[in-house]
Amino acid sequence: MSTDFDNPRRLLRQLFDAALAAADPARCVPPALAGLEPPGPGGRLIVIGAGKASAAMARAVEMHWPGPLTGLVVTRYGHGVPCERITIVEAAHPVPDAAGEAAAGRMLGLLHGLTAADRVLALISGGGSALLAAPAAGVTLAQKRALTSALLASGASIAEINCVRKHLSAIKGGRLAAAAWPAPVLTLAISDVPGDDPAVIASGPTVGDPGTAADALAVLDAYRIALDPALRERLAGGELETPKPGDPRLAGSDFRLVASPRQMLEAAAAEARRLGVAPLILGDALEGEAREVGKLLAGIAQSCGRHGFPAKKPCVLLSGGETTVTLGTAGGRGGRNSEFLLGLALALDGAPGIYALAADTDGIDGSEDNAGAFVDAGTRQRGRLAGLELPAALAAHDAWGFFAGTGDLLVTGPTLTNVNDFRAILVV
């Protein structure tokens, strides 16, 4: 199929939509149910879950599982969908709240007293770490909230943040599956983390944790995050250690990935080829400071435009993963994808023939209402006409304010899935 490139934004949006479709729970969950054994005599099927995609995953289970079931999943505010047999609870993300704490308590209650005849289906997706807010004994929700906020502002990676979360939780790091023992647990997961590590996705509530409490302390110390002395002593003494791989309570726990960043990028690449554009997937696990990744990818895009290397135009550079934004003492409006685009636009400085979309696949990029934004050769000039400058927006971490002023925000609303960042740079 040939393309005339009259509407680059429409083309980029088509690629984004193809990526989302590949991770739609209605599409990726039903085939995985074939691996779920029915309960034994007198047993029940209990469905539990957490994450931004968990409600949509629960609906897919209700529509395709032929037998009786009951359960509870917790998702982010605004991401719920109607279910008949599975209770849907909405709670706060990324900083946990009392609703998430109460839901986690109810979930643990559902698992109390199960037998080997029962079956547990866990529906896990990104965001579950904040949404399953069950503090470990002696840890308060206020402490978890403060530490989460500090870690999010520090520039720590998602793996580092989740390492800390696990060791302050009564439900993460394998503890959820341990609570269900001796009932077998099948986890269906949608990955939003670089590398698709089951122990990192939603802080691995149903898998053994290879990390240690000492690792959690090392993360807090590396980012100079203050910790209550009593809590530090409990971590240092191993009192808050997580279940490890090989724990007999996890022997009946099976984990299956049903959607991932790699799969969504491959779907976008297939759509690009259909539209007559050569795709180049740069990777599904790119990490680093968002603005610096933007500068790096600007250089690759310009090399494609000028030299046909590493891809000849017309081409589209696709990437996924999870960048970070180090806020420090600054505030900020927006998220990592929008800040990535500020860095990209500043480095491109109006270079012609390059267009970009970056967005969080859950539909919410950080703190505001947009999934992400668009960039093209006119971005900087549109900003100036609106009284906005790219360097000032970057310094203030005000990506949302800049792109709102230029009219370049991408607003989708909740997508009901989550396979992390999607970045597409079109070079024509």
Side-chain angles (χ1 to χ4, degrees):
M1 179 177 179
S2 62
T3 304
D4 59 13
F5 305 111
D6 284 342
N7 196 330
R9 288 195 183 193
R10 182 171 62 191
L11 187 150
L12 290 168
R13 179 60 191 269
Q14 286 178 263
L15 302 185
F16 183 52
D17 289 344
L20 293 178
D24 185 346
R27 176 176 176 177
C28 63
V29 168
L33 293 177
L36 177 61
E37 293 184 4
R44 299 173 298 151
L45 174 60
I46 309 295
V47 180
I48 57 174
K52 299 172 189 174
S54 63
M57 296 173 79
R59 182 168 61 184
V61 170
E62 283 198 345
M63 292 179 66
H64 292 274
W65 181 253
L69 57 83
T70 187
L72 180 150
V73 304
V74 56
T75 192
R76 181 175 177 164
Y77 291 119
H79 292 242
V81 298
C83 286
E84 295 180 0
R85 293 170 287 168
I86 301 170
T87 301
I88 307 298
V89 176
E90 296 186 351
H93 178 280
V95 179
D97 68 357
E101 182 180 33
R106 290 174 62 187
M107 191 176 297
L108 287 171
L110 287 175
L111 303 181
H112 181 71
L114 296 185
T115 72
D118 296 307
R119 301 289 182 268
V120 176
L121 177 63
L123 308 174
I124 302 300
S125 64
S129 294
L131 295 164
L132 280 180
V139 180
T140 67
L141 180 62
Q143 287 176 315
K144 292 200 71 173
R145 284 175 56 84
L147 287 171
T148 299
S149 296
L151 285 164
L152 290 170
S154 72
S157 71
I158 188 62
E160 291 172 322
I161 293 172
N162 285 358
C163 176
V164 175
R165 284 166 156 166
K166 291 179 194 179
H167 289 90
L168 303 177
S169 174
I171 206 165
K172 302 180 183 70
R175 292 186 177 97
L176 189 63
W181 184 85
V185 178
L186 172 62
T187 300
L188 304 183
I190 294 179
S191 172
D192 73 324
V193 301
D196 304 330
D197 185 347
V200 178
I201 302 168
S203 295
T206 61
V207 298
D209 176 26
T212 65
D215 295 331
L217 275 176
V219 170
L220 293 167
D221 290 342
Y223 292 97
R224 301 180 180 180
I225 294 172
L227 186 64
D228 176 83
L231 193 51
R232 174 176 289 275
E233 184 176 347
R234 295 180 69 198
L235 283 169
E239 181 183 342
L240 297 175
E241 199 52 86
T242 48
K244 302 303 172 195
D247 188 304
R249 295 170 297 172
L250 307 180
S253 185
D254 186 17
F255 183 95
R256 300 184 185 183
L257 195 65
V258 298
S260 70
R262 178 184 62 82
Q263 291 168 347
M264 69 103 172
L265 291 173
E266 290 177 346
E271 178 67 3
R273 285 188 287 269
R274 189 186 74 82
L275 295 172
V277 181
L280 176 62
I281 297 177
L282 299 176
D284 66 348
L286 272 62
E287 297 183 89
E289 196 68 23
R291 65 180 67 194
E292 296 302 320
V293 176
K295 183 189 300 183
L296 174 65
L297 296 197
I300 297 175
Q302 288 177 304
S303 178
C304 292
R306 294 169 182 167
H307 310 299
F309 180 81
K312 295 180 180 180
K313 61 181 183 182
C315 63
V316 62
L317 308 177
L318 300 169
S319 63
E322 183 167 332
T323 61
T324 54
V325 176
T326 304
L327 290 173
T329 58
R333 294 184 299 169
R336 59 184 181 262
N337 288 285
S338 304
E339 179 142 329
F340 159 83
L341 289 170
L342 287 180
L344 179 79
L346 186 62
L348 290 175
D349 195 23
I354 299 177
Y355 308 83
L357 176 158
D360 195 320
T361 53
D362 68 6
I364 305 294
D365 185 35
S367 62
E368 304 299 327
D369 61 351
N370 62 311
F374 294 94
V375 155
D376 58 34
T379 296
R380 191 164 195 171
Q381 181 59 24
R382 286 194 298 276
R384 287 172 173 164
L385 290 173
L388 303 166
E389 291 290 344
L390 277 170
L394 264 175
H397 300 291
D398 191 17
W400 185 89
F402 183 89
F403 289 117
T406 61
D408 294 325
L409 291 175
L410 170 63
V411 178
T412 64
T415 64
L416 307 181
T417 191
N418 184 18
V419 279
N420 225 320
D421 299 345
F422 173 86
R423 295 176 290 269
I425 304 174
L426 176 67
V427 185
V428 298

